[in-house]
Amino acid sequence: MSRKPDFEQLYAAARDIVSEDHRADVRLKKICKLLSNTIDYYDWVGFYLSEAERRELVLGPYVGSPTDHIRIPYGKGVCGQAADSKATVVVQDVREERNYLSCSIHVRAEIVVPIMRKDQVIGEIDIDSHESSPFTVDDERFLFSLAALVEPII
Ligand code: SME
């Protein structure tokens, strides 16, 4: 198991993708692939996009098993909690989280980072892991920077 991803290198690669001349959804999907191919404990990597008036999240580009959770109301599940609180939510063991929407029985941990524009949540980065307690403060910092990086193309 390769620990300690090179987050600086990943950030630089993501920045290159953001500046490519493709449609936004194509670039977001490439970022999902980059993360999921590079970090072995990132097993599902995706974006949710906000429909602010309806207070709902809508599934955007992702890599990993298909999910039933195409639309998620604010407040529901880990994604909905992050949208409501406008803050990163880290669940190191989903079996201990009551407000959780299961995507696959293999998932053990999840991190959701809101993508903010001014004080509005415009989307989220959502990562599922098949490992328990895989996320460190370095993952949180990296995903926080990544959220700011992709904000202009959401
Ligand atoms: N587990 C999420 C639902 C989305 S899937 O992980 C893709 C949640 O509790 O909100």
Side-chain angles (χ1 to χ4, degrees):
M1 189 188 332
S2 74
R3 285 282 136 188
K4 281 228 159 259
D6 186 338
F7 287 120
E8 272 184 36
Q9 197 179 42
L10 268 175
Y11 181 86
R15 196 178 48 211
D16 288 346
I17 293 171
V18 166
S19 61
E20 282 176 4
D21 193 17
H22 293 298
R23 282 193 347 234
D25 59 336
V26 173
R27 287 179 279 168
L28 292 174
K29 176 97 173 204
K30 282 179 98 169
I31 290 173
C32 295
K33 282 188 191 152
L34 171 73
L35 267 52
S36 119
N37 289 341
T38 316
I39 305 183
D40 55 5
Y41 54 94
Y42 283 16
D43 293 293
W44 190 98
V45 178
F47 290 93
Y48 278 90
L49 307 174
S50 298
E51 283 188 3
E53 296 94 78
R54 297 177 66 147
R55 290 181 56 79
E56 277 186 358
L57 298 156
V58 183
L59 182 64
Y62 71 93
V63 167
S65 311
T67 173
D68 289 340
H69 305 297
I70 311 290
R71 298 188 83 92
I72 301 176
Y74 283 20
K76 228 177 159 209
V78 183
C79 292
Q81 290 181 57
D84 236 1
S85 64
K86 302 182 176 179
T88 295
V89 180
V90 184
V91 177
Q92 300 283 19
D93 184 345
V94 296
R95 292 168 297 191
E96 293 182 3
E97 173 59 51
R98 298 184 67 164
N99 189 2
Y100 168 68
L101 302 168
S102 175
C103 273
S104 131
I105 54 161
H106 302 294
V107 175
R108 281 287 166 271
E110 177 162 11
I111 181 169
V112 181
V113 179
I115 301 168
M116 304 297 297
R117 180 170 296 149
K118 301 211 169 119
D119 63 344
Q120 294 297 310
V121 177
I122 59 165
E124 295 181 338
I125 304 169
D126 181 14
I127 316 273
D128 287 343
S129 179
H130 295 173
E131 295 181 26
S132 291
S133 302
F135 303 119
T136 69
V137 70
D138 293 331
D139 294 273
E140 283 189 54
R141 286 196 189 117
F142 165 64
L143 295 169
F144 185 82
S145 321
L146 186 67
L149 183 69
V150 300
E151 178 271 329
I153 64 166
I154 296 287

